[in-house]
């Protein structure tokens, strides 16, 4: 008898394809209640499938390569979405890259990390991780976030929160260079700093075959395309809801960012519940770094080539929130141990970010 394929394997293989099959029916059309519900269900299913395939790849290639695959895949598709929106309406989207990067940093450093710490510590009391892995990631994140999102508000060469062409080129080179150095350190030079602690996790799963890993890699990208496409399709309905509620337009960008980051959030939370905090932080901080390190060079090149306006500097309220987030992140991840207290602090900061976006 031929070996039977497990039902869960068939399910995880079929979901990405079915989610992409929903896209033609919801892309660029006004969604009624039925199509909106279908798109939401397909989006949730695609997120679950993406996390599953990312975990299969991680088992095959080992840490930290597995988490790096998911972070890079989501970021590349997110960058493509940002550039597409910029090209569709250059004038009204001049601040879109800034708002997207800022929202991503706040969601990851406060929402994702806070949720991982809270749920992980609720089950395992005290969480342990490698300071030598979190410290370099935070140093790069603080440097890039300050240079890209804060400094443009204080430069004098150009008016407003903008940079001159030479300054934009410098920002793009610094962003990409620092990110590549971090990837080299994480995967080659000091890979052991980013590996899970020996006490993390209770069981060792069997590594899948090379064929299964390649299949999961392809299905991961299909899942992420479905996630981004469905999130973009649902965004107009979210925008309409925002207008009806009378809250600022920035809430739309946050809602879309939350949907795009859903696969990484789910994967990080699952790792935290298994007491694999280093894996959670590799996912979270790696995603934030990839967002800045990859999106800014592409956005700058697009803006300079097409002579599009680009606003990068944050307003004063957002600068204060960013500074507080980075300070608390250093205090939380600089000790190597954390409890529910640190998780609660990060979630309060995330709640403040959401509240002050809705009620500025």
């Amino acid at each position: 008898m031929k070996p039977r394929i497990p039902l869960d394997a068939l399910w995880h293989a079929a979901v990405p394809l079915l989610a992409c099959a929903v896209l033609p029916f919801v892309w660029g059309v006004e969604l009624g209640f039925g199509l909106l519900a279908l798109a939401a269900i397909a989006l949730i299913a695609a997120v679950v499938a993406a996390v599953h395939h990312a975990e299969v790849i991680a088992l095959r290639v080992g840490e930290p390569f597995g988490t790096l695959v998911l972070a890079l895949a989501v970021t590349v598709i997110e960058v493509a979405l940002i550039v597409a929106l910029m090209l569709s309406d250059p004038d009204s989207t001049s601040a879109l890259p800034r708002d997207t990067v800022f929202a991503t940093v706040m969601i990851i450093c406060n929402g994702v990390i806070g949720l991982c710490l809270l749920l992980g510590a609720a089950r395992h009391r005290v969480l342990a991780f490698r300071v030598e892995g979190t410290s370099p990631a935070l140093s790069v994140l603080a440097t890039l976030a300050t240079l890209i999102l804060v400094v443009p508000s204080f430069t004098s060469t150009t008016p407003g929160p903008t940079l001159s062409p030479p300054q934009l080129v410098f920002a793009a080179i610094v962003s990409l260079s620092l990110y590549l150095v971090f990837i080299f350190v994480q995967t080659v030079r000091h890979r052991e700093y980013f590996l899970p602690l020996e006490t993390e996790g209770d069981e060792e799963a069997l590594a899948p075959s090379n064929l299964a890993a390649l299949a999961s890699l392809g299905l991961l990208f299909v899942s992420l395309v479905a996630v981004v496409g469905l999130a973009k399709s649902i965004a107009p309905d979210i925008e309409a809801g925002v207008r009806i509620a009378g809250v600022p337009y920035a809430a739309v960008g946050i809602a879309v960012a939350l949907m795009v980051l859903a696969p990484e959030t789910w994967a990080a939370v699952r790792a935290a519940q298994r007491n694999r905090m280093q894996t959670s932080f590799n996912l979270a901080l790696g995603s934030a770094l990839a967002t800045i390190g990859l999106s800014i060079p592409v956005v700058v090149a697009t803006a300079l080539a097409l002579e599009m306006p680009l606003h990068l500097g944050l307003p004063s309220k957002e600068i204060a929130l960013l500074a507080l987030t980075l300070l608390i992140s250093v205090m939380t991840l600089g000790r190597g141990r954390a409890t529910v207290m640190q998780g609660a602090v990060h979630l309060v900061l995330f709640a403040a970010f959401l509240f002050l976006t809705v009620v500025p």
Side-chain angles (χ1 to χ4, degrees):
M1 292 180 60
K2 293 182 178 180
R4 297 180 62 183
I5 301 176
L7 289 179
D8 62 335
L10 289 175
W11 166 256
H12 287 117
V15 163
L17 303 176
L18 292 174
C20 283
V22 173
L23 276 178
F25 298 99
V26 299
W27 186 269
V29 300
E30 186 175 347
L31 301 182
F33 178 78
L35 284 178
L36 181 60
L38 177 63
I41 293 172
L43 175 63
I44 295 172
V47 167
V48 175
V51 172
H52 168 78
H53 292 300
E55 290 178 342
V56 171
I57 296 169
L59 287 174
R60 176 68 265 177
V61 301
E63 292 293 342
F65 297 102
T67 55
L68 183 62
V69 169
L70 182 57
L72 289 176
V74 171
T75 303
V76 168
I77 297 176
E78 186 179 18
V79 169
L81 183 58
I82 293 173
V83 172
L85 292 173
M86 288 177 61
L87 295 176
S88 64
D89 191 357
D91 293 327
S92 62
T93 58
S94 60
L96 177 65
R98 176 197 69 189
D99 294 340
T100 302
V101 170
F102 175 64
T104 300
V105 172
M106 297 299 289
I107 289 169
I108 289 174
C109 289
N110 291 322
V112 177
I113 287 181
L115 189 61
C116 289
L117 290 173
L118 188 67
L119 295 180
R123 176 174 294 185
H124 304 285
R125 295 182 64 85
V126 179
L127 303 172
F129 48 88
R130 298 184 186 274
V131 176
E132 58 268 32
T134 56
S135 293
L138 279 175
S139 66
V140 176
L141 180 61
T143 301
L144 291 182
T146 302
L147 289 176
I148 303 302
L149 299 176
V150 178
V151 171
S153 296
F154 298 94
T155 55
S156 57
T157 303
T158 56
T162 60
L163 296 176
S164 65
Q167 290 171 335
L168 284 173
V169 172
F170 176 78
I173 293 174
V174 167
S175 298
L176 185 59
S177 300
L178 261 184
Y179 181 66
L180 292 178
V181 171
F182 173 77
I183 293 299
F184 172 72
V185 170
Q186 184 185 39
T187 59
V188 180
R189 188 78 174 191
H190 298 292
R191 183 188 173 192
E192 66 277 9
Y193 291 173
F194 301 88
L195 297 177
L197 293 172
E198 293 181 0
T199 57
E200 289 188 2
D202 298 324
E203 72 283 337
E204 287 291 332
L206 293 176
S209 65
N210 290 333
L211 182 60
L214 287 174
S216 286
L217 180 61
L219 290 169
L220 171 63
F221 279 94
V222 173
S223 300
L224 295 176
V225 169
V227 169
V228 174
L230 291 168
K232 180 66 172 60
S233 300
I234 296 174
D237 292 273
I238 297 175
E239 183 177 355
V242 166
R243 285 198 301 267
I244 294 173
V247 298
Y249 185 80
V252 177
I254 295 175
V256 174
L258 284 169
M259 290 186 290
V260 172
L261 290 171
E264 288 166 306
T265 302
W266 192 317
V269 168
R270 282 166 60 93
Q273 290 180 320
R274 295 197 298 268
N275 201 21
R276 299 180 67 84
M277 290 309 302
Q278 191 60 49
T279 300
S280 289
F281 292 147
N282 287 346
L283 272 166
L285 296 175
S287 178
L289 290 174
T291 297
I292 301 179
L294 296 179
S295 64
I296 293 303
V298 175
V299 165
V300 166
T302 303
L304 291 178
L306 303 179
E307 298 183 353
M308 300 167 57
L310 187 60
H311 294 170
L312 291 177
L314 289 169
S316 56
K317 171 170 65 67
E318 283 71 19
I319 290 176
L321 285 173
L322 177 63
L324 181 58
T325 294
L326 294 174
L327 174 63
I328 296 300
S329 297
V330 170
M331 296 171 67
T332 296
L333 303 181
R335 296 174 58 247
R337 297 168 70 84
T339 65
V340 293
M341 184 72 255
Q342 286 88 347
V345 170
H346 281 271
L347 289 178
V348 166
L349 277 177
F350 183 58
F353 163 64
L354 295 178
F355 178 76
L356 292 176
T357 300
V358 176
V359 187

